[in-house]
Structure formats: structure tokens, C-alpha cells
Amino acid sequence: MSAEFLPLFLFLAVCALLMLGYPVAFTLAGTALAFAAGGILAGVFDAGFLSALPGRVFGTMNNTTLIAVPLFILMGTILEKSRIAEELLGSMARVFSGVRGGLGISVVIVGMFLAASTGIVGATVVTMGLLSLPSMLRAGYSPALATGTICATGTLGQIIPPSIALVLLGDILANAYQQAQLQMNVFSPKTVSVGDLFVGALIPGLLLVGMYILYLTVYTRLKPQAAPPVDQGTVSLGELMRGLLPPLLLIFLVLGSILVGAATPTEAAGFGAVGALALALARRQMSVQRLREAVIDTLGVTCMVFMILIGAAVFSLVFRGFGGEELIHGYFQNMPGGAMGATLVVMLVIFLLGFILDFIEITFVVVPIVGPVLLAMGLDPIWLGIMIALNLQTSFLTPPFGFALFYLRGVAPEEVPTSAIYRGVIPFIIIQLLLIVALWFWPEMATWLPEQFKQ
Amino acid sequence: RDKAATGKSASVAGVAADDTSYEWKLVTTWPKNFPGLGSAAENLSRMVDEMSNGRLKIKVYGGGEIVPALGVFDAVSQGVADAGHGAAYYWKGKVPSSVFFTAVPFGLNAQEMYGWLHYGGGLELYEEAYAPFNLVPMAGGSTGVQMGGWFNKEINSIDDLRGLKMRIPGMAGEVFTAAGGTSVTLPGSELYTSLQTGVIDALEWVGPYNDRILGFHEVARYYYYPGWHEPGSILEFIINKDSMAELPADLQAIVRQAARASSQDMLDEYTARNNEALRELIEEHDVQLRRFPDDVLRALWQGTRQALDDLVARDPMSAKVYASYSEFYKGVRNYHHISEQAYINLRDVVLGDEDY
Amino acid sequence: MILCHSTNKKDLLTMTLLHSLVNYIDTFTDRSGRLLAWLALAMALLTTVIVVMRYGFNTGSIFAQELVTYMHASLFMLGAAYALKTGAHVRVDIFYRGFGERGRAWVNALGGVVFLIPLCLFIVGVSWNYVAESWHMREVSTEQGGIQAVFLLKTLIPVMAINLLLQGLAETLRSALVLVNDAP
Ligand code: NA
Ligand code: NA
């Protein structure tokens, strides 16, 4: 057996060893290190790749975009510990109290707001998990429906602008597009920008939210016991406003400050947390003890997210060191079936890689390799970008390795079995796949709106 | 490192050349295949391969592939990679004098920088500054005069800079802050949205060829010139000293000549592509071109003078480099008055609006 | 293996010593983690101040911006050990859940020995030179008004690994003790 297939074995070994249940971050890194050690002894691995790790870790420490992670988590834990989130969802649910599954629908809507303010899967899933899972379980929702809704809602941040994921992807695709056109001897190349991707993502993103809500409505009609109505009767307008207004104000403050440009997502996350604290204090729902719990929870979840990032960095260095990149590249070049065949395979590979690599790694590692190849075959860059984003979003949702599932598992109470989470996400995965198929046959869903904006 | 011992020892006695082959890793601060800035590393790799008949292979890694973009210096210095491509002023936290080897506000232009580096003692100082880090530096391309940046507010007087939030790194950022502005540090990936949403009012990137790709014309009203802050930015190749020493003399020479050629090639590419890109920006995207008023530029020069004095006072190596730079500047400026500058001016006077 | 399950006096002494070592590490990690956690709130407050200063007073402080980065890095680098102790690092627990106490102890003891401890030792080793270089040149911020202590920031890398190594040892020992004590 030649060393050429070692990256494939590494991938399979990680998948198998993760099943043992040792923490994901350390299993990813430890398995990769063991492979690297074996490779060095056998003379087929260049140890230089491993020595790049400190630089990678330092890059993560210095990445200002990622500062949004602990800040959004803190906002979530404060809203949770002070019971404000619960009341917000309660109030939202009252708005939908005539509708079965109203609490689920309000989770999707609250989640959509949160998703719009951050593109980081970990932060959104964790925040939504802390915010709404206890309320849903208390209201008698089946754990599967509750966790499925939260995971799916949590991954919306990938696609609903302003999304950090789309910004990174737009950056890389712009270069890939330029490169592809230069290869085709187009020396006055057309451009694609992050703004185009934002506009292109609007219709698919909102469609997704609509389909989630539709699913909840239909499912709860068929299986009412899975989602009992939160029966708090009707409320007076004043009462409703009191519960609803302050938290909504907070969300609009966070989202609005990003949209009108008062702050970057990181800064908005910062004063989102401070705003949540102020709100809790004003309502006399915050104590030193609760605040301590909130910051300690924030510490745990933040460290979990970043250790996975560091573990993934070790893994990706070793994968690259064994020539995993060449293996992938060589495969694409000998692809039958033209542009669509190649796209199909790329999508499948990205989907699988989404199990072990996070969005940022795939964006920076895989898209620069495959992007120019695909775009040189004549694909639309906006369409390709939205397809990749939707695909990864689905990958992060898919058992047993989806990142969203890990993150939610990290914050879900013990009594929720993992199998319930897996069952719960399946309908949402089907919805995602439906949208991807629709986008495959009607690329205009992504490309039409940007065209209108350009005119 | 990575020496693939495929040599069948065909070396003839007395002839240095053998057919041992070498493999290098080159890390860059740009994304893979980045137009313009990223071309130099790709060209170096291709040229070295051709010239050495495949005995030295250089594999190029984009920013973030092995190490993050701004981890290039550490990686090459410590032998994680054999070579790197980036810009010296990114490392001013490690080597304060490095700003002179890329660009300083109101400094030398591309042609003059190449002259200073290769015939004015600049490269020797560059090597001296990098020697403690086990690095051999070489010029790695030039962008030519950059653009002043994208603005959403018109700059009519120095007062218009007050409170203006701009992404402008390096010494120029200090100068801009001293002039009343606020310099904001942002990663490249956040530039577009930050300008779009107004988190910043202005930013500078490179020039029309690169800026158009990132689409800044979609989110900014005015495109200002001239690039006072980067009049002829030189990019750099850095080579790990041990990796270089491992090579036989002929391969070392090949690396140096290929670096020199690909460096010049980048300037050629920008010269060819910038004007077409600017024409398209103006004609097809209605970009409003503006020139900085003279008194604004004069105020920025005062700030630059101050920043230079500060730097020279606190860092002995910077003082040494500055002395050489300043000496060369005086001489070349004098001669260019009656050569390049005189010629470019007379071209406008004589031809007017007439096409050549 | 030192942890055989005979019960003579010498082994009992070893066990007691190991127990107190585990306790000692636990206490250290616990105290430092609880203190560290407040950095999250400090970051949020400082970020808010930065935004207010920018809009209220048209001033920006690079020092303050970098301070947020330093706090952020300290939070997740130094907190990793605490997260390990409190079980915050997620697992694929499809099978792990059903393993029972002994099975889990096996996973954790083996995982510690095979994955975590080598990883920590590796990070310490591989980052040593990287950090030493930075100290040697007293590396500072690239920004004029920035924090002049990049070498300290980089030092967090081996410190994180040593911290995690200590707690990793404690967790591995704890699991090993479970295996020894409950030996059939
Ligand atoms: Na988003
Ligand atoms: Na520039």
C-alpha cells in the first residue's frame, strides 16, 4: 500500500476513534500526531509541517473576528441565567399561542435574529441551546423536536447575512474567480464581491426559515403531543409589551448596530452582553451568584470551541503533510461528467470534510484549490458560494459528526439522549437537501437578486 | 530539510554541480493564487524549476494553509518553511527598521526603491537587519504607486480628517492618527463589510487592479489619489539562511536571479493591469476619482516627519537605515527632477489631449 | 504498571499520594478557572467602552483594542484545563454514554495516555523555540500605540499546554484509580 492513501486512512481513523467518546478536540489532534509520528519514522512525513503549529495557534489567538465567540456566548448565558431569554421566548410563544408549535416557531424566529448577528456556528448553537432548550423541554416538547429545531436554527448563521462565513468565502471566491478568468485569458475579468454573496444569500436564507416554520406547523398538526401549546392564555397588550419589548430592543441594538455600521459583529457582541446585563439588573433578575455562573459557563463553552479549533489545526497540518491536498486535487482533475459532475463531487467532498474541518479551514484550504477549477468550467461564483455555504450548513447538522450536534451536546442537559438529537435533525437535513436540490435546478434563486441590485 | 536524496552522484570531479534535488516550502501572506501580489511567489517557483531543470522544487502555500498570513516571518526564521513572500513592514513589531524596505510615506517610488536596494546599499542593510533572524531577504516585487484609498466622505481640508475612521496600517496609520483621524485595525476579510456598514469611513488597500477584485467600488463613493503613504511598496522574499546554505552555489544563484526576475515581473504586471482596471472602475462603475488637496498632503508630510524622527530616535538600526535612505533620496530626487519627472511633465505639455 | 491491585502498605501509600496529587491539581485548576472566567465580562465591558469612545468622543485606542485580544486569548488558552476538569470538552458520546463507570474510566485513562498527554508534551516542545525567539527579540506590537508584549502573548501557548498537561495527568490518574479501586 503506498503512502499516497495515508490521508484517507487518517480521516477514517479519526472517524473511528471519535466514536470511543474521548473529547473531540484531543482525539482529532492525538490521532493526527500518532500518524505523523509513524510517518516520520517511516520517512514519509515531513516534520516541518508539525512545527507550524505554534504559528497556527497564535493566529487563532490574534483573530479579531473570533473574539465575537466568547462575547456572544456571554450574552447567551446572561440572558439564560437571568431568565430573560425564557421570558422572551414565552412572550414570543404567546404571540403564536393560537398556533400549534408556537414555541418552536418563536425559537426559529429568535434564532434567525441571532443568526443574523453572528456567522459562527458554535456561538449560535450554544447560545440558542442555552437560551431555549430548557424552556422547550419544560413546555413538554419532545427532546428530538426541540434539539433538532435548535441545531438547525443555530446553523442559520452560515447563510443569513451579515455572515462571517460568507465574508471569508466571498474573499476567497473573488480571488478564485479572478484566477479562473485569467486562466481563460479574460484579461478584463468580471468581479464577485462579499456584497454579492450577501444579497445572493438573502432569498435562500429566508426560504430556509420559511421552510423550517412550515415544517414545524405541519409536524405539530400531525403529532400534537410532540409540541404542546404553551397555554398561558391571551395577554393584554401592555403585558406583552413589557415582556417582549426590552429583549427585542436588545436584539435590534445588536443587529441594528451591525447593519447601520455603528459596530463590527465583535463589538456588537460586546455591548450585546453588556446590554443583557443592564437589562437583567434593571429587572432585578441578576445577582453576583448568577453572574458568576454565567461567566463560568462562558469560560467552559469558549474553551471547548477553541480547543476544537486547535485540534482541527493539528489535524489539518498532518493531513496536508501527508499530501491530502494533492490527493484531492488529483482526484478533481481526472473527473468525468464536466462541470456539473465535478461540482457534485466537490460538494460531496466538502460535505464530508465538514465533519472534521470547520468552516474557516474549508474556506481557506479547500475552496482555493477547487474554486478556480470549478469556476474555469463556467460556473457562477455567487451560486457556487451559496451552494458551498448551504452544503456546509447541512454538513454541520449531519450525525454523527456535525459540529452543531457537538456544540449542542455540550450544553444540553444529561437527560437528553444523543439519539434524540440525531433523530431531531433529520427532517431539517431533508429540508436543507430540498433547498440545495432546488438551487441546483434554479440557480436564479441565488443569482437573480444580485443582478437586480447591480442595475 | 526535505532534501530528497535522489541524487545518483553523477558529479564530475572539480565541478560543483550535482544532481541532488531539493524541495522547498514557500509560505506567503496572500491567499493562494492571489492576483498581483501573489504572482511573484508562483513565478519564482516556476522559474527556479525551469532554470534548475527540476533540481529545486519550490512549493507555494497561501496564507493560512500552513501558517497564518502574519506568521510567515516566524515560520521562515525558525525553519518551519524554507522561504516566504510578504511585505517587510508587516514585521515592524520585530524589526522596526523594516518599514524602510517596503514603503514609508512620501518616500521613494518603485524605480527608486529598486535603485536604492540594488545599487544604493539598501539590500546590504536589509540583510543586516534580518541577519539576527537567520533570514536572507530579497526584493519580491512592487506594486508601483498605490492609490490613496476608498472614502465615503470628501476630503477638502485637513479638518475633514478629524474623526475619520480609516483602515490604514503601519507608519501611515500613526501619521493619520496624528492628523486627527482614527486608524482602525481590521483583518482583510472584514474590510468590505466594515466599509459598507460604516464601521470605517475609509480604507486603503493597493491599487485599481487589486481593489476592483475586492469590490470596494460597490461600497465607497470616492477613490482618492495619490498614494502618499505607499509610493512604491516593495514586497519581499525571505529565505531561511540554513536552507540557502544547503544549496550548491549554482542553485543559490538561480534562486537569486529568479527572485530578481519575478520581482521585476510584478511591477510590469501592475503597470499593465492598473490602468485598464481604473478605466473600467470609472467608466463602468461610475467611481468618483478625487485628488487629495495639497494642504492635506502637506499636513500629512508634517506628521510623517514627526513619525520618522520618533522612529530614528528610538531604534539605532532604523537610524542607520534612515541615513542611507535619506542620502539616496536626496540624490535621486535631484536627478529625477530633470529626468523622469521632467519627461512625464513635458509629455503632458507637448501632447496635451492628443493620443500618441 | 505501578497501579496493580495488591493492597500492601507501600501501595496504599502510593495511592494516597496519588489521590492528594489529583486533589492538589484540581484545586489549582478550579481556583484559577473561576478567577479567569471574569475575563469574559471584562472583555464585554471594554469592548463597549471602545465603541462608546469611538462614537461619543471620536477617539480610538489601539491599546484597548489589543487588550481585548489579550484577554480573549488568556481566557481560552488558560481556561482549557478548567474546561477539561469540568467536562466541558464535547465528546461523540453515542457509545460512551452506555459504557458505564469502568468503561468510561478506560476511555479516559487511555485517551489521556494516548491523545492528551502526548499532545500537551508535543505543544510544549514545538512551541519552545517559537516563544524563546519572541522573548529574545522582545517582540512588540506592529501598531505604534499597541501593547508592547507580544512575547507574553505567545508565552500563553506553552503555558496552556503545561496547564492542560497537569489537569490531563490528574484526569488520567483519577480514571486509573477508578480502575484500580473497582478492580474485580
Ligand atoms: Na449571519
Ligand atoms: Na496599501
Side-chain angles (χ1 to χ4, degrees):
Chain A
M1 186 55 74
S2 79
E4 185 191 339
F5 291 102
L6 276 172
L8 198 65
F9 289 133
L10 172 60
F11 183 88
L12 294 175
V14 161
C15 294
L17 289 168
L18 279 173
M19 293 299 177
L20 287 178
Y22 198 65
V24 174
F26 310 130
T27 308
L28 264 176
T31 310
L33 278 184
F35 265 72
I40 291 169
L41 288 178
V44 293
F45 186 83
D46 167 12
F49 282 93
L50 285 179
S51 52
L53 186 69
R56 294 280 287 245
V57 175
F58 187 63
T60 305
M61 291 160 70
N62 253 332
N63 185 328
T64 49
T65 308
L66 295 176
I67 294 177
V69 175
L71 297 177
F72 272 119
I73 294 172
L74 181 64
M75 181 172 94
T77 55
I78 289 177
L79 290 175
E80 183 220 351
K81 298 292 174 194
S82 62
R83 318 265 187 274
I84 289 179
E86 227 176 298
E87 287 168 26
L88 166 67
L89 278 167
S91 312
M92 270 290 197
R94 286 189 207 183
V95 178
F96 290 99
S97 75
V99 189
R100 265 197 214 96
L103 184 54
I105 293 171
S106 35
V107 164
V108 172
I109 290 171
V110 172
M112 180 182 73
F113 284 129
L114 269 180
S117 53
T118 166
I120 300 163
V121 176
T124 320
V125 172
V126 164
T127 310
M128 285 309 295
L130 292 170
L131 223 126
S132 48
L133 187 56
S135 318
M136 293 176 91
L137 294 178
R138 237 193 318 279
Y141 271 60
S142 85
L145 184 64
T147 53
T149 307
I150 290 169
C151 280
T153 307
T155 58
L156 280 175
Q158 298 272 316
I159 191 93
I160 294 185
S163 147
I164 293 166
L166 289 179
V167 173
L168 299 176
L169 199 56
D171 209 34
I172 297 291
L173 274 178
N175 294 323
Y177 192 38
Q178 192 80 2
Q179 184 64 26
Q181 293 177 88
L182 290 176
Q183 266 172 24
M184 297 187 286
N185 294 328
V186 179
F187 286 111
S188 181
K190 287 195 187 61
T191 59
V192 57
S193 69
V194 173
D196 294 335
L197 276 191
F198 277 10
V199 178
L202 266 179
I203 292 178
L206 292 177
L207 217 55
L208 213 48
V209 172
M211 284 160 84
Y212 287 178
I213 292 177
L214 186 70
Y215 162 71
L216 285 171
T217 313
V218 172
Y219 181 79
T220 51
R221 197 137 305 206
L222 296 175
K223 265 189 130 179
Q225 71 277 13
V230 184
D231 187 20
Q232 286 155 326
T234 49
V235 283
S236 74
L237 194 66
E239 240 180 311
L240 184 69
M241 283 298 140
R242 192 199 163 275
L244 207 58
L245 220 49
L248 271 186
L249 211 65
L250 184 66
I251 287 171
F252 276 118
L253 188 74
V254 170
L255 235 193
S257 65
I258 297 172
L259 291 179
V260 307
T264 63
T266 298
E267 292 168 343
F271 63 71
V274 172
L277 180 61
L279 198 59
L281 287 171
R283 290 178 161 208
R284 303 183 186 289
Q285 284 169 261
M286 184 47 79
S287 63
V288 175
Q289 181 51 35
R290 283 181 175 182
L291 191 56
R292 181 179 295 131
E293 286 171 18
V295 294
I296 285 177
D297 281 4
T298 304
L299 177 75
V301 178
T302 304
C303 292
M304 177 260 283
V305 172
F306 280 91
M307 280 301 126
I308 290 183
L309 263 176
I310 291 174
V314 177
F315 176 86
S316 96
L317 281 174
V318 175
F319 188 76
R320 185 173 286 280
F322 274 120
E325 182 203 16
E326 283 89 350
L327 191 70
I328 293 173
H329 205 149
Y331 196 64
F332 286 144
Q333 283 185 331
N334 307 319
M335 189 72 55
M340 285 332 234
T343 310
L344 198 65
V345 175
V346 168
M347 287 298 156
L348 205 65
V349 170
I350 288 181
F351 180 81
L352 290 176
L353 285 177
F355 287 159
I356 43 173
L357 301 181
D358 72 296
F359 193 104
I360 295 170
E361 302 226 331
I362 289 173
T363 304
F364 282 129
V365 175
V366 182
V367 180
I369 300 171
V370 300
V373 184
L374 290 183
L375 293 174
M377 293 173 168
L379 295 181
D380 184 283
I382 299 176
W383 178 80
L384 183 64
I386 306 299
M387 284 293 278
I388 292 175
L390 272 175
N391 184 7
L392 277 176
Q393 192 198 347
T394 315
S395 173
F396 292 155
L397 263 184
T398 303
F401 298 120
F403 275 113
L405 309 173
F406 292 144
Y407 292 130
L408 186 68
R409 179 69 270 169
V411 294
E414 277 292 304
E415 48 298 356
V416 174
T418 304
S419 58
I421 303 184
Y422 291 178
R423 255 185 294 122
V425 291
I426 287 171
F428 291 96
I429 295 171
I430 294 172
I431 291 174
Q432 298 274 138
L433 290 177
L434 281 177
L435 187 65
I436 291 177
V437 170
L439 203 59
W440 181 277
F441 288 107
W442 295 287
E444 298 80 13
M445 286 164 67
T447 57
W448 178 79
L449 202 55
E451 283 298 319
Q452 309 310 304
F453 267 76
K454 280 195 168 161
Q455 282 160 12
Chain B
R1 212 158 305 99
D2 286 1
K3 197 192 318 179
T6 55
K8 299 253 160 61
S9 79
S11 59
V12 183
V15 180
D18 56 32
D19 63 355
T20 309
S21 66
Y22 299 82
E23 224 174 87
W24 273 12
K25 289 198 280 288
L26 187 151
V27 291
T28 70
T29 54
W30 332 107
K32 199 156 177 66
N33 296 324
F34 195 75
L37 301 172
S39 64
E42 301 288 350
N43 283 332
L44 178 81
S45 165
R46 184 178 48 76
M47 288 183 203
V48 165
D49 187 23
E50 287 169 4
M51 289 195 245
S52 71
N53 197 21
R55 284 162 57 217
L56 174 56
K57 298 267 186 203
I58 301 180
K59 190 159 168 23
V60 178
Y61 293 91
E65 285 193 279
I66 300 186
V67 289
L70 297 183
V72 164
F73 186 97
D74 289 339
V76 182
S77 167
Q78 289 160 29
V80 172
D82 307 276
H85 186 262
Y89 68 177
Y90 290 154
W91 326 124
K92 87 193 234 290
K94 307 169 200 282
V95 189
S97 59
S98 63
V99 290
F100 290 108
F101 305 118
T102 309
V104 282
F106 302 100
L108 301 170
N109 72 13
Q111 184 186 355
E112 296 162 347
M113 276 298 289
Y114 278 141
W116 175 60
L117 285 172
H118 296 137
Y119 289 92
L123 190 60
E124 286 78 7
L125 289 165
Y126 202 170
E127 285 167 351
E128 185 184 335
Y130 276 27
F133 304 96
N134 205 32
L135 291 173
V136 183
M138 293 167 206
S142 176
T143 61
V145 183
Q146 298 197 353
M147 286 295 284
W150 297 90
F151 287 72
N152 272 324
K153 287 184 185 142
E154 252 182 308
I155 308 299
N156 295 316
S157 75
I158 193 72
D159 289 336
D160 291 328
L161 293 185
R162 192 152 296 283
L164 195 83
K165 297 179 289 291
M166 180 168 187
R167 181 270 186 187
I168 175 167
M171 182 185 270
E174 285 169 49
V175 173
F176 181 74
T177 306
T182 305
S183 117
V184 180
T185 316
L186 286 174
S189 59
E190 281 180 20
L191 293 182
Y192 180 95
T193 31
S194 298
L195 190 59
Q196 182 179 44
T197 57
V199 167
I200 50 176
D201 308 305
L203 62 79
E204 68 81 42
W205 180 236
V206 183
Y209 176 47
N210 282 117
D211 292 6
R212 181 192 50 172
I213 296 167
L214 295 189
F216 296 133
H217 55 276
E218 294 163 22
V219 291
R221 269 192 290 278
Y222 309 108
Y223 198 18
Y224 268 89
Y225 72 96
W228 59 277
H229 62 300
E230 299 205 42
S233 302
I234 296 285
L235 290 308
E236 72 175 5
F237 285 115
I238 45 178
I239 318 265
N240 181 285
K241 215 174 253 177
D242 304 327
S243 299
M244 192 67 156
E246 270 178 30
L247 296 182
D250 63 330
L251 286 186
Q252 290 193 19
I254 285 175
V255 169
R256 288 186 187 279
Q257 292 313 312
R260 187 87 176 249
S262 53
S263 182
Q264 181 64 43
D265 184 83
M266 187 194 291
L267 183 60
D268 301 347
E269 186 186 3
Y270 274 106
T271 305
R273 297 261 164 83
N274 266 333
N275 50 58
E276 175 58 21
L278 183 66
R279 188 199 58 76
E280 191 200 298
L281 282 173
I282 294 172
E283 287 177 10
E284 291 175 28
H285 302 289
D286 298 322
V287 165
Q288 301 286 305
L289 201 60
R290 292 280 189 281
R291 185 182 185 279
F292 287 121
D294 284 339
D295 60 336
V296 170
L297 291 169
R298 267 187 219 105
L300 291 168
W301 162 244
Q302 290 314 314
T304 303
R305 177 78 268 160
Q306 185 63 48
L308 284 169
D309 290 346
D310 290 350
L311 175 61
V312 163
R314 72 168 189 274
D315 180 51
M317 186 62 198
S318 293
K320 192 172 171 185
V321 178
Y322 172 73
S324 164
Y325 189 95
S326 157
E327 178 70 22
F328 189 87
Y329 192 110
K330 197 177 1 162
V332 82
R333 187 179 166 204
N334 274 337
Y335 180 65
H336 276 176
H337 273 147
I338 61 150
S339 55
E340 306 293 324
Q341 195 172 344
Y343 171 69
I344 286 178
N345 288 344
L346 95 80
R347 200 156 64 174
D348 287 343
V349 171
V350 175
L351 269 74
D353 291 337
E354 203 181 320
D355 280 335
Y356 183 77
Chain C
M1 248 347 225
I2 44 166
L3 302 168
C4 58
H5 38 67
S6 61
T7 50
N8 63 44
K9 250 188 179 159
K10 200 173 149 221
D11 282 355
L12 262 177
L13 182 68
T14 311
M15 301 272 286
T16 319
L17 277 174
L18 288 178
H19 265 296
S20 55
L21 177 66
V22 169
N23 285 338
Y24 189 77
I25 297 174
D26 276 354
T27 311
F28 171 75
T29 302
D30 194 63
R31 293 221 176 122
S32 58
R34 286 169 165 274
L35 209 61
L36 212 56
W38 291 100
L39 276 180
L41 184 64
M43 282 169 68
L45 291 170
L46 184 56
T47 305
T48 308
V49 170
I50 290 173
V51 177
V52 170
M53 291 297 280
R54 188 158 75 226
Y55 288 92
F57 306 93
N58 268 335
T59 57
S61 159
I62 289 170
F63 190 90
Q65 285 185 29
E66 289 193 1
L67 191 55
V68 176
T69 300
Y70 276 56
M71 292 197 283
H72 168 64
S74 306
L75 182 80
F76 75 81
M77 293 295 275
L78 300 179
Y82 182 81
L84 180 65
K85 179 180 171 289
T86 53
H89 293 296
V90 295
R91 306 162 183 267
V92 179
D93 64 350
I94 320 166
F95 302 118
Y96 183 79
R97 292 187 147 245
F99 279 171
E101 201 194 4
R102 259 189 93 70
R104 292 182 194 193
W106 268 113
V107 168
N108 289 327
L110 285 178
V113 172
V114 178
F115 294 144
L116 182 57
I117 293 173
L119 173 68
C120 294
L121 291 173
F122 164 71
I123 293 177
V124 174
V126 83
S127 64
W128 202 259
N129 198 26
Y130 181 81
V131 176
E133 275 292 317
S134 184
W135 274 81
H136 185 68
M137 66 175 108
R138 282 287 185 282
E139 186 175 1
V140 298
S141 169
T142 38
E143 304 294 330
Q144 184 54 36
I147 298 177
Q148 308 303 316
V150 171
F151 57 99
L152 285 182
L153 193 61
K154 285 187 172 174
T155 308
L156 284 175
I157 299 172
V159 171
M160 174 276 278
I162 291 169
N163 235 344
L164 197 59
L165 177 66
L166 278 178
Q167 192 58 40
L169 278 173
E171 296 303 322
T172 308
L173 280 176
R174 200 193 324 275
S175 303
L177 288 171
V178 168
L179 293 175
V180 173
N181 287 342
D182 297 355

